[in-house]
Amino acid sequence: MGTQGDGNHFLFVGVSKNTGNTMLVTHHGSRAPGAMLYDKGMKVANRFRQEISPETLRENAWIPYETEEGKQYWEALQLIRNWTKENHESIHNATLEKLNIEKQNRYWNEHNFVFRDRDLFYHAKGATPLDDKFLPDITGPRLIPLNMSEPVLIVQGKTNDRNLGFAPHGAGRNFSRTQHKKSLAHKTIEEIFEEETKGLDIRFFTNDIDISELPSAYKSAKNVRAQIEEYGLCEVLDEVMPYGCIMAGDVQKNAPWKKKKKFRKA
């Protein structure tokens, strides 16, 4: 609780284009608890697949909601949802306490999650919910991060024929992490970092630059923004203009707490 995790998780600081207020945006999912629930859920789903439809691919296994296991899994997802929200809030509260300031406003939304509309379930991979029916505790607009050098979009919207009640979660990757690193092999990590973060305060929690999280690893933010407008996916209310961010980085490679453990053993 109170930590960001690894990889593309981040803490982003910027300024509202509309008001000039400083804004803090955190991005992470359900972390280890969510991953453990997913693994357990897939094992249960595979048992149902073998009984009901063995010809279905293992990856497409499902848990029928009308079963006891289905209802329990949905309830467990709501616990994970609450845990994730609390984790975000604990980071924001710790920041406010450290800076000795009061918050003016706060809102959140999950993404890459399972959402329900009566008896229909949406597996919203790469999607941010717009319609209030998916978010029982919603208190404000939605957030769409693009990349560390671009504004975080603050949006709202309703269900239409094109969006099914969802907006894009972000820009998405151009290539896999490995392919992206290979495409930049002719430059040093320091050169790439300097080129792509000029004018911004970008840090990695592990003190190790991960070039697979830099802007060029992701699709064009300009194109994503244009497609949002072209297809009427949502309405952009404001933009959080970037000042800088702390990326989680590869904690398997250089986790600060692992260093501490080694020091204690010595």
Side-chain angles (χ1 to χ4, degrees), residues 33-49 58-64 67 69-70 72-74 76-77 80 114 123:
M36 289 187 286
L37 175 62
Y38 172 78
D39 287 342
K40 192 174 184 68
M42 285 303 293
K43 289 175 183 175
V44 174
N46 193 50
R47 290 207 301 270
F48 278 105
R49 178 192 68 85
R58 185 185 182 93
E59 293 79 6
N60 293 335
W62 75 98
I63 306 174
T67 64
E69 292 91 336
Q72 287 180 348
Y73 188 65
W74 178 251
L77 283 172
I80 289 296
V114 183
H123 294 258

Side-chain angles (χ1 to χ4, degrees), residues 137-202:
D137 57 354
I138 199 66
T139 58
R142 319 301 188 250
L143 299 159
I144 302 179
L146 296 170
N147 66 57
M148 63 176 65
S149 68
E150 296 287 340
V152 172
L153 304 181
I154 299 178
V155 307
Q156 68 178 10
K158 296 180 179 179
T159 300
N160 61 43
D161 292 339
R162 294 182 184 274
N163 66 19
L164 297 178
F166 294 88
H169 162 49
R173 289 186 175 275
N174 279 313
F175 313 102
S176 69
R177 292 174 185 271
T178 302
Q179 283 179 304
H180 178 65
K181 288 177 179 178
K182 285 181 179 178
S183 72
L184 296 173
H186 59 289
K187 297 180 181 179
T188 67
I189 291 176
E190 290 70 25
E191 285 174 339
I192 299 165
F193 183 75
E194 176 65 24
E195 288 175 9
E196 298 198 32
T197 64
K198 191 165 289 185
L200 299 173
D201 185 351
I202 306 297

Side-chain angles (χ1 to χ4, degrees), residues 27-38:
H27 165 89
H28 65 259
S30 54
R31 312 270 315 287
M36 289 187 286
L37 175 62
Y38 172 78

Side-chain angles (χ1 to χ4, degrees), residues 1-24:
M1 177 61 71
T3 59
Q4 280 285 107
D6 63 358
N8 68 349
H9 296 166
F10 63 75
L11 182 149
F12 177 103
V13 179
V15 177
S16 163
K17 192 174 183 178
N18 290 349
T19 66
N21 291 340
T22 299
M23 303 184 78
L24 172 67

Side-chain angles (χ1 to χ4, degrees), residues 224-251:
V224 172
R225 177 73 180 270
Q227 288 171 353
I228 286 174
E229 295 177 0
E230 179 183 356
Y231 295 107
L233 300 179
C234 59
E235 176 189 0
V236 178
L237 301 176
D238 195 4
E239 299 174 58
V240 187
M241 310 307 291
Y243 174 80
C245 71
I246 302 174
M247 298 296 301
D250 186 356
V251 297

